[in-house]
């Protein structure tokens, strides 16, 4: 039996990865942050199978202790302040967690068990103002947010520890991946949750920012399989994980409304753009400039050819299935809320 340590286990990816590793027979350790009300987040349903360790990415002592307790063979570093918009509000904390936190974890491994294998959750946000289309492992980076900049440090320090200490340390450069467990503030889940509320009559419209931004969206369940594959190779290398399809936020919204049985049409431009329900003429989407970012990543589309060829990875959940699963899940959640309120 192998031991795995997952930082960020309570988040979206951490929960799917924990399920995958438990299925594979790993003993799974997960880092938890202390909160005033105990909250297991997305792993509540499997909490009895996980060995929790209280720790924080900003506290290297707690990470050294976590390595001593877990004696992890594989460490998956998923913990992060992961919401790009907030990184302009808390740039220093974002850097402490997403940049220095990676060094803290790498040092803890180097001190306690240098032969442990290390996965770093790198991101397509590092490509930012893209220098090539599509983006692959050779594309130069140009981050556009404090989050992207901090993650770029995490990416390079991982490569540096691989080269300096011959550690098995690698990064998956993952493009956007969503799911039924996505945080409510990210645009996909914000849309599917609002669509469910609009469909069930408890909300009139959703307000969004830049509808022209393009993202390469996959499902988290497919992407955590890639994380595991990255740590099972003969030697450590970095890989892009993506679908090679890109869509605008507008297209995601259109697909989500359609999945709930609402056909929408868009009219107007820029901040005056709206979407109406074709059947009723009611406005169901408005643009609100408050949701625009100080600097935007306009277009992301990844080329996962290296991962497909060398890891045998491929995504199984299509864009339409992703949207349908998220809308169906939010319809069930909102329906339940309505019933319990009555
Ligand atoms: P998420 O749902 O926001 O989860 C983030 C996790 O990090 C949570 O478990 C959170 O714990 C934990 N965390 C935050 N600050 C911490 C700290 N100081 N110490 C310890 N734990 C801390 O994120 P996700 O979508 O699963 O993403 C997982 C990782 O992949 C992140 O590093 C993200 O930046 C990266 N990534 C995500 C995507 C994507 O599209 N989802 C794409 C590329 C890369 P609490 O529950 O205590 O808040
Ligand atoms: O859903 P988002 O907040 O995700 P973003 O910024 O692409 O970041 C996510 O993916 C990264 C991988 O590329 C991860 F590293 C990161 O941790 C995170 O998981 O925004 C997507 C796009 C942006 O262009 C944003 O400006 O949607 C646009 N958008 C338009 N209206 C909105 C909104 N985003 C949010 N969150 N809320 C809106 O109302």
């Amino acid at each position: 039996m192998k031991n795995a340590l997952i930082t960020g286990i309570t988040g979206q990816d951490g929960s799917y990865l924990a399920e995958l590793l438990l299925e594979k027979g790993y003993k799974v350790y997960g880092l938890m942050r202390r909160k005033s009300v105990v909250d297991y987040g997305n792993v509540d349903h499997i909490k009895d199978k996980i060995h929790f360790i209280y720790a924080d990415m900003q506290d290297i002592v707690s990470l050294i202790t976590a390595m001593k307790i877990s004696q992890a063979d594989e460490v998956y570093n998923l913990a992060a302040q992961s919401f790009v918009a907030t990184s302009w509000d808390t740039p220093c904390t974002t850097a402490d967690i997403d940049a220095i936190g990676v060094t803290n974890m790498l040092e803890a491994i180097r001190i306690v068990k240098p032969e442990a294998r290390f996965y770093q959750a790198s991101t397509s946000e590092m490509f930012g103002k893209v220098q090539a289309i599509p983006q692959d492992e050779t594309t130069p980076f140009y981050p556009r947010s404090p989050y992207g900049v901090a993650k770029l440090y995490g990416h390079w320090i991982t490569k540096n520890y691989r080269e300096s200490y011959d550690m098995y340390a690698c990064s998956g450069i993952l493009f956007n991946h969503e799911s039924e467990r996505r945080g409510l503030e990210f645009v996909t889940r914000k849309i599917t949750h609002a669509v469910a509320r609009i469909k069930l009559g408890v909300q009139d419209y959703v307000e969004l920012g830049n509808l022209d931004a393009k993202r390469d969206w996959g499902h988290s369940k497919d992407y955590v399989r890639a994380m595991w594959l990255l740590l099972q190779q003969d030697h450590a290398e970095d890989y892009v994980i993506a679908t090679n399809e890109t869509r605008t936020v507008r297209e995601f919204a259109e697909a989500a409304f359609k999945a709930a049985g609402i056909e929408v049409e868009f009219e107007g431009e820029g901040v005056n753009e709206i979407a109406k329900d074709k059947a009723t003429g009611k406005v169901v989407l408005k643009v609100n400039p408050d949701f625009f970012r100080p600097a935007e990543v306009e277009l992301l589309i990844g080329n996962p050819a290296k991962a497909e060829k060398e890891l045998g990875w491929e995504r199984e959940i299509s864009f339409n299935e992703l949207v349908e699963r998220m809308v169906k899940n939010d319809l069930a959640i909102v329906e339940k809320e309505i019933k319990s309120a009555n």
Side-chain angles (χ1 to χ4, degrees), residues 201-213:
V202 288
Q203 183 173 330
D204 292 331
Y205 56 85
V206 59
E207 288 188 325
L208 299 174
N210 180 11
L211 300 183
D212 293 321

Side-chain angles (χ1 to χ4, degrees), residues 10-13 33 35 56-57 78 80 82 147 151 177:
T10 54
Q12 170 186 261
D13 291 1
R33 285 197 287 180
K35 291 172 192 149
D56 195 295
M57 297 310 294
L78 311 187
S82 74
Y147 167 82
K151 279 285 184 176
H177 46 280

Side-chain angles (χ1 to χ4, degrees), residues 6-16 31-35 39-42 55-59 62-63 77-84 93 96-98 101 119-125 147 151 172-179 181-183 185-186 216-218 220 223-224 227 241:
I6 305 176
T7 76
I9 198 164
T10 54
Q12 170 186 261
D13 291 1
S15 68
Y16 285 113
L31 293 197
M32 278 272 283
R33 285 197 287 180
R34 194 261 162 192
K35 291 172 192 149
D39 179 7
Y40 294 96
N42 285 305
D56 195 295
M57 297 310 294
Q58 294 172 267
D59 182 340
S62 72
L63 300 180
N77 184 34
L78 311 187
Q81 190 304 91
S82 74
F83 190 45
V84 173
T93 314
D96 283 345
I97 300 169
D98 298 9
Y119 173 88
Q120 168 59 14
S122 285
T123 165
S124 48
E125 276 290 306
Y147 167 82
K151 279 285 184 176
I173 307 173
L174 271 50
F175 283 61
N176 296 53
H177 46 280
E178 319 294 311
S179 75
R181 300 178 191 166
R182 188 56 143 154
E185 70 274 53
F186 296 92
D216 178 330
W217 279 298
S220 171
Y223 286 49
V224 300
M227 296 176 186
I241 305 296

Side-chain angles (χ1 to χ4, degrees), residues 122-264:
S122 285
T123 165
S124 48
E125 276 290 306
M126 301 186 309
F127 295 122
K129 188 171 177 181
V130 299
Q131 305 294 298
I133 299 172
Q135 299 85 50
D136 66 18
E137 293 80 2
T138 65
T139 305
F141 299 118
Y142 193 140
R144 293 272 282 170
S145 62
Y147 167 82
V149 173
K151 279 285 184 176
L152 189 51
Y153 173 97
H155 184 78
W156 279 109
I157 200 70
T158 300
K159 200 177 169 80
N160 180 259
Y161 270 54
R162 178 164 81 220
E163 293 173 358
S164 303
Y165 302 115
D166 201 22
M167 284 167 65
Y168 191 116
C170 57
S171 296
I173 307 173
L174 271 50
F175 283 61
N176 296 53
H177 46 280
E178 319 294 311
S179 75
E180 299 88 320
R181 300 178 191 166
R182 188 56 143 154
L184 280 166
E185 70 274 53
F186 296 92
V187 78
T188 55
R189 186 77 197 288
K190 180 176 171 181
I191 292 171
T192 60
H193 189 246
V195 162
R197 288 173 56 82
I198 292 165
K199 174 75 179 176
L200 296 171
V202 288
Q203 183 173 330
D204 292 331
Y205 56 85
V206 59
E207 288 188 325
L208 299 174
N210 180 11
L211 300 183
D212 293 321
K214 287 184 158 179
R215 289 292 182 275
D216 178 330
W217 279 298
H219 194 292
S220 171
K221 215 170 172 185
D222 282 338
Y223 286 49
V224 300
R225 231 175 32 249
M227 296 176 186
W228 177 76
L229 283 168
L230 254 79
L231 294 199
Q232 313 309 315
Q233 305 307 306
D234 290 339
H235 59 276
E237 273 187 48
D238 305 329
Y239 290 87
V240 158
I241 305 296
T243 71
N244 198 225
E245 292 170 16
T246 192
R247 289 178 177 79
T248 60
V249 170
R250 186 182 297 101
E251 285 170 312
F252 188 98
E254 195 173 7
F257 277 112
K258 192 170 173 204
I262 302 172
E263 293 283 337
V264 293

